[in-house]
Amino acid sequence: MHIPEGQYNLKEFCRVIFDSPERVLEGYHGQRIKSFLYLSDDGWRDYLDEHYETEDLGGITKFVGKYRNRKGAEQPAKFYAGQYKDDLQMVLTAETEEAIRQSLRPVSEHSDCLSPMPIMTEDFQTMNEIVLSTYDDMRISEFKSKRVPSLADARTRPDVDREIEYKGADGRDRLDEFRDEYGVVPTRIQYEHENVSIRIDTSGKFTLETVNKESFNILFDLLSEVVVNVLELLDVANQIKFEKREVVPGNLKVQVPEVSSGEIDFDQQVSLMQAENFIKGTKNSDDLNFSFTDVTKQAGSLDFSAQVTDENRGSLFNVSATEESMRIVPKHDCSFPSLVEFYLAVIQLLDGGAEMRLYESQSAA
């Protein structure tokens, strides 16, 4: 993006974009803005300095990476980060998907202080209701929906796990019909209106295909509805940890392991086949890099356990699951991005209505 030199906070920066979109987006393919939200801790700014060429624009940090285009030529990729809330950063860019894939994603995937912000499936339904209630004539041209029993009943074969993708001018009606008939709820939606074209999905990515004040207003209105739950998730992830505490019994100094474990409560009973498909899905995903070792499993009443490694960050934790829940016990370098992204994998691949909470703290003292 072509941004004039100056000092901006996040809303001032967005105003520069929608006040002069032709100038800001000149030369960019597609003429659209992509917004990503990242959960963060205090080290995120130093992390950008280590991996990118950075520049301060007041409350905005410009960071520039590199990627290779389709012809193999190296080109710069520009990104702009600003604080939406404490521990929550918004990244804005006009770069292509290929530039984002090469330059933005690999760095955040290895960071212990930045994690893509997930949107819980129930919160996503609230976001959709806000858009449709604000615009009576808003069209839905494309959506992706999945089965979440706690959020929708199904008339047809309610026990079948489903995922449906649809494109068509009647998407708004079809979304409701599929929900009523098959119990599926949206996880990605493309909205179309006279002055608005915007795509949202549960990964926390917002694509503004019309770059104007109205589109940015929708973006900020929707974020205000989900930020509380997202920051509560971050708080839970930060409390799930393994650390050593020094105790002094008498004249001795002893390092005592202290473990705070977490638990993911399932919205519906999980079978062995679903657990196996979850492992396969994480292996086959382009966005996830978890490996499972020491896997034990038993059919019938689900009894499943494994050691999980975040291959990008080196985080190590154990999981054990029943039909009702999955326990997470940290073992080594278990950073919050690993836990948030593992939870995101669960709601994307296993149970869209699952919730993560702190389970208990244990000490060997």
Side-chain angles (χ1 to χ4, degrees):
M1 293 189 285
H2 307 291
I3 303 295
E5 291 187 9
Q7 304 288 299
Y8 308 99
N9 61 32
L10 181 58
K11 290 200 172 182
E12 291 168 344
F13 182 80
C14 293
R15 188 176 300 115
V16 168
I17 296 173
F18 66 68
D19 278 350
S20 305
E22 295 84 4
R23 176 173 54 79
V24 170
L25 299 175
E26 183 180 359
Y28 281 87
H29 177 72
Q31 301 282 297
R32 58 175 65 96
I33 294 292
K34 290 122 181 175
S35 171
F36 302 86
L37 278 297
Y38 287 87
L39 298 168
S40 63
D41 68 13
D42 293 338
W44 74 271
R45 182 59 172 81
D46 292 337
Y47 186 82
L48 291 185
D49 289 338
E50 293 172 6
H51 293 85
Y52 296 93
E53 177 186 332
T54 61
E55 179 183 352
D56 284 328
L57 303 174
I60 299 295
T61 299
K62 176 183 178 181
F63 58 105
V64 182
K66 295 180 180 179
Y67 77 102
R68 292 194 177 277
N69 63 20
R70 289 178 295 177
K71 297 180 179 179
E74 189 174 80
Q75 290 186 294
K78 300 176 184 178
F79 306 94
Y80 298 83
Q83 181 173 282
Y84 176 77
K85 292 282 188 182
D86 289 344
D87 303 323
L88 185 57
Q89 314 303 321
M90 178 183 287
V91 173
L92 296 160
T93 187
E95 298 293 344
T96 64
E97 292 298 322
E98 185 61 23
I100 292 168
R101 185 186 68 81
Q102 291 185 38
S103 188
L104 180 63
R105 289 181 184 170
V107 177
S108 64
E109 286 172 356
H110 291 83
S111 171
D112 287 330
C113 54
L114 285 169
S115 174
M117 181 197 81
I119 299 174
M120 275 67 88
T121 311
E122 186 171 2
D123 287 340
F124 194 80
Q125 312 316 305
T126 301
M127 292 167 63
N128 181 46
E129 292 168 5
I130 290 171
V131 174
L132 298 185
S133 63
T134 303
Y135 299 89
D136 291 336
D137 55 347
M138 178 69 77
R139 300 182 304 279
I140 294 177
S141 60
E142 178 184 344
F143 65 84
K144 179 178 180 180
S145 291
K146 66 185 300 180
R147 180 81 174 103
V148 182
S150 67
L151 299 180
D153 296 325
R155 288 196 294 260
T156 301
R157 295 181 294 280
D159 295 333
V160 175
D161 189 27
R162 296 184 176 93
E163 189 169 275
I164 297 173
E165 294 192 48
Y166 186 83
K167 292 183 179 182
D170 61 346
R172 183 166 178 167
D173 293 331
R174 285 288 180 263
L175 188 147
D176 291 335
E177 291 170 2
F178 289 161
R179 179 190 179 105
D180 294 340
E181 189 67 30
Y182 300 112
V184 293
V185 297
T187 58
R188 185 184 71 222
I189 303 177
Q190 174 78 41
Y191 297 106
E192 304 287 349
H193 190 263
E194 181 180 0
N195 298 313
V196 173
S197 179
I198 184 171
R199 178 190 295 256
I200 64 175
D201 66 53
T202 52
S203 70
K205 177 184 177 183
F206 298 77
T207 303
L208 310 186
E209 298 188 352
T210 49
V211 182
N212 55 30
K213 183 177 180 180
E214 197 166 1
S215 295
F216 274 92
N217 284 343
I218 291 175
L219 169 62
F220 280 91
D221 287 346
L222 295 182
L223 287 177
S224 69
E225 292 296 320
V226 303
V227 65
V228 172
N229 288 341
V230 168
L231 292 178
E232 286 178 353
L233 172 65
L234 174 63
D235 183 57
V236 169
N238 275 325
Q239 293 182 70
I240 300 172
K241 55 189 175 182
F242 174 92
E243 57 187 0
K244 291 186 177 181
R245 179 169 55 87
E246 187 175 273
V247 298
V248 186
N251 295 322
L252 297 176
K253 288 186 179 180
V254 181
Q255 295 286 326
V256 177
E258 188 167 88
V259 178
S260 297
S261 58
E263 187 165 76
I264 296 176
D265 295 322
F266 298 137
D267 170 61
Q268 58 183 327
Q269 287 195 340
V270 171
S271 67
L272 177 60
M273 179 177 294
Q274 288 174 305
E276 291 173 336
N277 288 338
F278 169 67
I279 294 176
K280 292 177 183 177
T282 58
K283 291 180 179 179
N284 295 332
S285 171
D286 293 332
D287 300 322
L288 301 167
N289 198 15
F290 293 104
S291 63
F292 294 77
T293 55
D294 299 331
V295 177
T296 62
K297 50 192 176 182
Q298 184 175 329
S301 179
L302 177 63
D303 183 4
F304 168 88
S305 65
Q307 180 173 277
V308 183
T309 303
D310 182 340
E311 297 292 348
N312 289 328
R313 300 181 178 89
S315 296
L316 190 67
F317 53 94
N318 290 334
V319 298
S320 58
T322 66
E323 294 173 333
E324 309 292 338
S325 64
M326 178 185 293
R327 186 82 50 80
I328 301 173
V329 181
K331 291 189 67 178
H332 176 70
D333 287 343
C334 204
S335 62
F336 85 81
S338 295
L339 295 169
V340 169
E341 289 174 29
F342 184 77
Y343 171 69
L344 179 60
V346 169
I347 61 176
Q348 287 181 339
L349 301 174
L350 184 59
D351 183 348
E355 297 183 357
M356 187 166 73
R357 62 182 177 87
L358 189 65
Y359 180 70
E360 63 181 5
S361 296
Q362 294 181 335
S363 174

